[in-house]
Amino acid sequence: MSAQEFSLDDLKRILLEGAGADEGVDLDGDILDTEFEALGYESLALLETGGRIEREYGITLDDSALTDAATPRALLAAVNVHLAQAAARVA
């Protein structure tokens, strides 16, 4: 099984499905290093996002994956590490 990659487009889709987007926030802009709070996503929205990622990708994120990931770039990296580890266990 090859490692599946979690992309920025995947994250944006899940954020929009779970919590929508604040007026005036352009998720199509350069958001990789913008803090989630500045994008209008607080802890509850990120918990919902984490749950959706876990269900859709069949992984379990540690608590720190969401609390330590202040930006989309950090969350993408954390999710992709978990996906690679899951793929390695299956291989």
Side-chain angles (χ1 to χ4, degrees), residues 16 21-29 31 37-41:
L16 290 170
D22 278 356
E23 229 177 273
V25 173
D26 180 14
L27 291 182
D28 290 326
I31 64 165
E37 192 169 311
L39 294 171
Y41 298 103

Side-chain angles (χ1 to χ4, degrees), residues 9 13 18 22 31 36 44 47-48 50 52 54-55 58 62 65 70 74-75 79 81 85 90-91:
D9 286 337
R13 176 182 51 78
D22 278 356
I31 64 165
F36 282 112
L44 188 57
L47 286 174
E48 171 66 21
R52 286 174 178 265
E54 289 177 336
R55 288 188 299 279
D62 12 275
L75 184 55
V79 170
V81 164
Q85 290 171 343
V90 172

Side-chain angles (χ1 to χ4, degrees), residues 1-16:
M1 176 182 192
S2 64
Q4 185 176 14
E5 185 173 341
F6 185 66
S7 71
L8 181 58
D9 286 337
D10 296 324
L11 176 58
K12 289 190 290 189
R13 176 182 51 78
I14 289 173
L15 284 168
L16 290 170

Side-chain angles (χ1 to χ4, degrees), residues 4-8 11 32-33 36 53 59 61-62 64-66 68-85:
Q4 185 176 14
E5 185 173 341
F6 185 66
S7 71
L8 181 58
L11 176 58
L32 275 175
D33 296 312
F36 282 112
I53 292 168
I59 58 173
L61 299 170
D62 12 275
S64 65
L66 292 173
D68 292 348
T71 64
R73 184 185 305 275
L75 184 55
L76 290 172
V79 170
N80 282 315
V81 164
H82 281 78
L83 287 172
Q85 290 171 343

